[in-house]
Amino acid sequence: MKLDLHRIAASVLPGLLLALVLGGLGGLVAATLEPAERAALWALVEPRIGLVVMLWFVVALACGIGLGWAWEHFGRAPGRLAERLQVLLASDTPRELEAAGSAGSRALTAAVNNLLGQRDALRADTQARIAEASREVAEERNRLAALMAELTQSVVVCNLDGRILLFNARARLQFRALTEGPAIGGAEVIGLGRSIYGVLDRRLVAHALEAVQQRLQRGAAHPTAQFVTGTRGGQLLRIQMTPVRAPGDEAASLNGFVLMLDNITRDLADDTERDGLLHQLTEGHRGSLGNLQAAVELLDDPELDAATRERFLAVIRDEIGGMTRRLNEAAERGLRDVRSRWPLEDMLGADFVAAAARRIESQLGLRVSTGEVDGQLWLKVDSYTLIQALQHLAGRLAEEYDIQRVQLRLGSAVQNGVERGRLDLVWAVQAMSTETVTAWETEPLRAGDETSALTVRDVIARHGGALWFERARIQQEAFFRILLPLAGEAAPLHAELLGPQSSRPEFYDFDLFAAGQAHQELAQQHLAELSYTVFDTETTGLQPSQGDEIIQIGATRIVAGKLRRQESFEQLVDPQRSVPEAGVAIHGIQPEMLRGQPPITTVLPAFHAFAHDTVLVAHNAAFDMRFLQLKEDSTGIKFDQPVLDTLLLSAVIHPNQESHRLEAIAERLGVTVLGRHTALGDAMVTAEVFLKMVPLLRQIGITTLGQALDASRETYLARVSY
């Protein structure tokens, strides 16, 4: 409604002004006449004065409206043409101006389109050359990504401000394991452009950096620093820091650092347990040895009667039994510790079956065939010990029943509602008792001439699997069936037990090395250098002050001038009130979808953490921010960072355009609209629109955050409030 009144006023005001001007001119003309002439004129006009004034006003108003219409459609046409041309010049997508207006305007548009075509051809040629030159750099980055994926250690690379510019998949999983409770909205603890100080104490990192710099100054070739810190979840991390310097310049000052992290919580607990066990053994054996020594000395007395001798012998037997029991308990606890430390790795099931078949054939001389094998199945296994267990069972079959041929099969099965890998060791039917199977499961593994302290049951238990023996009389075969975990099942709580990841990490951006916003005033920062959280909300209605509530928050990040689609926040919210049908028709969120979802008091802190240390961006931000501000008292969460509004920025960049709706802006800037009226979908579109706006703002002299905020406040749309 505000825009319609503005256009009406723009058309009517010229008419009113023209009427006043013409009236003033008429008065001046009358003043120059002789008195007699004025009297004659007045006598002619007086009887029809009302009609004359009305006709005068209507003609002047019509002329004014006509002039206003002509100005809107012809006077402003060059301005609109210039704004659209400005968009095309800043766009990477080849587009043309639409011809409109007079023949001269159409000819000008054709000439401009011809120049745009030449520009696009030159740009395509330049991009092709850049792509060729960048191919080698891309290959280097891919090699780095592959190397990072294979590392068994968590690695995070930061610039000097602590902004994360690279991390591998293992680091992501480790930090996820350290998170207290579930991640609301899918938000991660770490992300590109986020501060490592959200996880680690800034003072510890600064102290380590100082130590590294001192060692650099002393001429150390490979300076490092180590420290141990605790997390909010009670975990202990051992961290090694190494510097990042300019390539080929070993004396260069630091421009970043690498952190290699190990979770030592379990190590510390195990060390404490082992210390306690050693103390218990030492103290227990000290007393037992004293009792044994005293009993042996008394047994040497020739005058000792038989009853007393028997009593001392009983003491000796009891003490020896106690020492033996304690030693066995210590050995069992040590074995459990060894079992718990076995790493499990992702392995293609077909590769595991082939490796097991080769081992059994080469070590035992048996013929091994492979039956049905699911070539797409990935297992999470300790392949070495599991192959040992299979070899042990096949060897016992050959020894006890002279089996010369076995078969391996691999598929999937469901156990307690969970899909598992199903591995079968198959042979021709032979009579076998349950006692024999149990004995084979619990005896030490034998691999050739070597015997392990582990058993088949130990190996299966460590995998969290199951083992049993079956006969298939119709097929005339018997088999051991082993159920194993599949790759991708829930990771252990302690991230140091996580096996190598099969996918390469996409989490890096070396442009962040140039960022240094911690040392400058935020308002003076260039727009292209800032980190942004672009967000949107879906609500029960349009009146936040009258009880409408948020039902969904969606957000994404812009870091180093790039949209980070993989780093997003999306969460439904239980509004704890009804959802009007009119709203459902717009956003499509049914009331039943909100049942069981967390309330705003839970979601808002998670979103606040996701948006920490960034500039907020939204379309019509006044609406969304009002909802957030009304929740400050109930949640204790305050969003006090700067806010940019793409609605206002559009009015700054394109003051001559009629519409500043998100769809209209996206169409002008060549942004495809997908997922409209979902919080995350709208946030993604707004983020792409904002990225297109930054170079347009730069063209009109707006380069910093402070300048963008000031320009936004000066637009007439900034007066809208909720």
Side-chain angles (χ1 to χ4, degrees):
M1 189 65 179
K2 190 176 186 70
L3 294 177
D4 292 337
L5 292 174
H6 176 74
R7 287 198 295 271
I8 292 171
S11 299
V12 172
L13 283 176
L16 295 175
L17 292 174
L18 182 62
L20 293 174
V21 169
L22 292 177
L25 290 175
L28 290 174
V29 171
T32 61
L33 298 175
E34 294 296 329
E37 294 173 335
R38 284 201 302 271
L41 180 62
W42 178 249
L44 179 65
V45 172
E46 183 180 12
R48 303 176 183 84
I49 186 65
L51 180 62
V52 170
V53 170
M54 184 178 295
L55 288 174
W56 185 281
F57 181 80
V58 169
V59 170
L61 183 62
C63 292
I65 291 175
L67 289 174
W69 180 88
W71 172 253
E72 279 291 316
H73 290 78
F74 297 102
R76 287 193 175 184
R80 289 184 182 137
L81 181 65
E83 288 174 358
R84 289 178 180 147
L85 178 59
Q86 185 183 44
V87 171
L88 294 182
L89 290 175
S91 173
D92 295 331
T93 305
R95 298 168 66 191
E96 291 187 348
L97 290 172
E98 295 182 6
S102 63
S105 296
R106 291 177 178 273
L108 176 61
T109 302
V112 170
N113 285 336
N114 184 33
L115 291 175
L116 287 174
Q118 296 178 23
R119 189 278 311 262
D120 292 336
L122 290 173
R123 178 180 286 174
D125 181 65
T126 302
Q127 289 176 343
R129 293 175 183 272
I130 292 174
E132 181 66 26
S134 300
R135 187 169 292 114
E136 184 176 346
V137 175
E139 290 176 357
E140 290 293 333
R141 289 189 174 187
N142 288 335
R143 281 195 285 269
L144 173 63
L147 175 63
M148 294 288 290
E150 298 301 323
L151 289 178
T152 59
Q153 197 168 29
S154 301
V155 178
V156 179
V157 182
C158 304
N159 63 15
L160 284 179
D161 289 334
R163 297 285 174 187
I164 298 172
L165 58 90
L166 179 150
F167 60 95
N168 62 357
R170 187 177 179 86
R172 187 177 202 171
L173 290 172
Q174 183 174 57
F175 279 105
R176 186 182 296 166
L178 296 174
T179 304
E180 298 176 277
I184 298 295
E188 297 283 351
V189 179
I190 62 173
L192 291 178
R194 299 193 71 179
S195 175
I196 193 66
Y197 303 129
V199 182
L200 303 179
D201 190 323
R202 182 187 296 269
R203 293 168 298 179
L204 280 173
V205 177
H207 179 74
L209 267 176
E210 184 179 355
V212 168
Q213 288 172 328
Q214 288 175 350
R215 289 164 190 161
L216 275 175
Q217 292 170 1
R218 292 198 299 265
H222 303 288
T224 62
Q226 291 191 12
F227 58 94
V228 175
T229 183
T231 68
R232 296 184 183 94
Q235 304 288 309
L236 282 178
L237 297 179
R238 180 174 57 224
I239 301 174
Q240 179 175 335
M241 174 188 288
T242 58
V244 176
R245 292 169 284 179
D249 186 1
E250 298 301 323
S253 59
L254 299 183
N255 60 0
F257 53 87
V258 180
L259 300 177
M260 290 171 283
L261 305 95
D262 286 307
N263 189 321
I264 60 172
T265 308
R266 174 170 290 184
D267 293 339
L268 184 63
D270 290 342
D271 289 344
T272 302
E273 184 178 355
R274 281 194 294 271
D275 290 343
L277 178 60
L278 180 60
H279 179 74
Q280 180 182 347
L281 283 174
T282 303
E283 294 301 315
H285 282 27
R286 181 180 289 116
S288 295
L289 288 172
N291 292 335
L292 287 173
Q293 184 176 3
V296 169
E297 290 175 354
L298 292 173
L299 285 175
D300 290 337
D301 187 353
E303 298 180 358
L304 198 64
D305 59 82
T308 304
R309 182 181 296 275
E310 182 59 34
R311 196 162 53 249
F312 284 135
L313 289 174
V315 170
I316 292 173
R317 285 193 292 269
D318 289 342
E319 294 295 346
I320 291 174
M323 293 175 67
T324 303
R325 184 176 61 257
R326 286 190 292 272
L327 284 172
N328 288 337
E329 289 175 355
E332 177 62 24
R333 290 170 68 178
L335 182 58
R336 285 200 303 269
D337 182 63
V338 170
R339 293 172 192 157
S340 68
R341 289 175 176 271
W342 287 350
L344 301 181
E345 61 181 352
D346 293 352
M347 187 172 187
L348 186 62
D351 291 345
F352 174 81
V353 169
R358 288 194 300 269
R359 175 68 64 85
I360 293 172
E361 286 181 339
S362 63
Q363 296 294 323
L364 301 177
L366 299 179
R367 288 178 294 169
V368 183
S369 62
T370 54
E372 181 183 352
V373 174
D374 186 344
Q376 304 300 315
L377 205 64
W378 282 79
L379 303 174
K380 183 175 283 292
V381 294
D382 171 19
S383 57
Y384 178 74
T385 56
L386 189 57
I387 289 176
Q388 276 191 321
L390 289 174
Q391 181 182 337
H392 173 81
L393 293 174
R396 298 299 282 144
L397 286 169
E399 292 174 3
E400 298 290 335
Y401 298 101
D402 197 27
I403 298 296
Q404 299 297 317
R405 182 186 181 90
V406 295
Q407 184 184 70
L408 294 174
R409 299 187 302 225
L410 179 66
S412 61
V414 177
Q415 181 189 35
N416 298 326
V418 178
E419 187 178 8
R420 314 301 297 274
R422 186 197 72 240
L423 177 64
D424 293 340
L425 176 63
V426 189
W427 67 94
V429 170
Q430 292 286 342
M432 184 182 298
S433 66
T434 303
E435 291 77 10
T436 299
V437 173
T438 303
W440 290 2
E441 290 179 15
T442 55
E443 63 188 11
L445 294 179
R446 286 190 295 167
D449 296 332
E450 298 181 359
T451 301
S452 170
L454 302 172
T455 67
V456 173
R457 188 170 292 177
D458 292 335
V459 174
I460 301 303
R462 173 61 187 94
H463 285 79
L467 167 69
W468 65 83
F469 166 70
E470 284 191 25
R471 293 187 184 89
R473 299 187 184 279
I474 296 178
Q475 290 82 11
Q476 296 185 345
E477 65 182 21
F479 54 87
F480 287 113
R481 173 156 292 176
I482 303 173
L483 296 185
L484 299 166
L486 297 178
E489 292 184 7
L493 173 64
H494 298 283
E496 76 274 15
L497 296 180
L498 294 170
Q501 302 303 305
S502 59
S503 60
R504 295 184 177 182
E506 69 278 15
F507 325 115
Y508 63 87
D509 190 335
F510 299 111
D511 295 338
L512 292 172
F513 266 130
Q517 69 186 66
H519 304 292
Q520 302 178 37
E521 290 293 334
L522 195 60
Q524 298 175 354
Q525 278 288 291
H526 286 275
L527 291 171
E529 297 175 356
L530 291 165
S531 297
Y532 302 91
T533 296
V534 188
F535 77 103
D536 183 66
T537 62
E538 297 296 335
T539 62
T540 59
L542 304 178
Q543 302 296 330
S545 300
Q546 298 179 19
D548 279 318
E549 297 284 349
I550 295 173
I551 58 175
Q552 188 180 40
I553 300 178
T556 187
R557 293 186 191 284
I558 295 175
V559 181
K562 298 173 185 175
L563 175 57
R564 311 293 178 175
R565 294 181 181 274
Q566 75 277 11
E567 295 185 30
S568 60
F569 182 99
E570 185 176 26
Q571 181 63 53
L572 292 171
V573 183
D574 183 355
Q576 299 179 338
R577 56 152 290 174
S578 61
V579 180
E581 287 295 330
V584 173
I586 296 174
H587 49 62
I589 300 175
Q590 300 291 337
E592 55 269 20
M593 297 168 60
L594 303 176
R595 296 192 190 103
Q597 297 295 335
I600 193 66
T601 52
T602 301
V603 175
L604 216 52
F607 175 60
H608 186 267
F610 179 81
H612 174 69
D613 212 11
T614 63
V615 176
L616 293 177
V617 178
H619 187 78
N620 193 12
F623 177 80
D624 301 286
M625 291 305 298
R626 183 57 177 159
F627 277 93
L628 300 183
Q629 290 163 358
L630 288 174
K631 293 301 176 183
E632 288 181 5
D633 292 338
S634 60
T635 63
I637 298 298
K638 184 175 183 180
F639 292 83
D640 54 5
Q641 57 260 66
V643 182
L644 288 174
D645 189 340
T646 52
L647 175 70
L648 305 184
L649 293 176
S650 176
V652 171
I653 298 170
H654 298 145
N656 294 306
Q657 299 302 317
E658 295 182 359
S659 176
H660 297 288
R661 295 170 58 247
L662 184 59
E663 291 91 340
I665 301 171
E667 183 180 1
R668 281 199 297 272
L669 301 182
V671 174
T672 302
V673 178
L674 297 173
R676 189 73 171 98
H677 294 304
T678 66
L680 184 57
D682 283 356
M684 289 289 185
V685 173
T686 304
E688 292 194 45
V689 163
F690 178 73
L691 285 173
K692 296 277 189 178
M693 286 181 167
V694 171
L696 297 177
L697 289 168
R698 186 169 56 246
Q699 290 179 8
I700 58 177
I702 298 175
T703 59
T704 67
L705 175 62
Q707 291 171 339
L709 291 171
D710 291 340
S712 297
R713 294 187 190 102
E714 293 175 1
T715 65
Y716 68 90
L717 291 175
R719 294 192 295 272
V720 176
S721 62
Y722 292 88

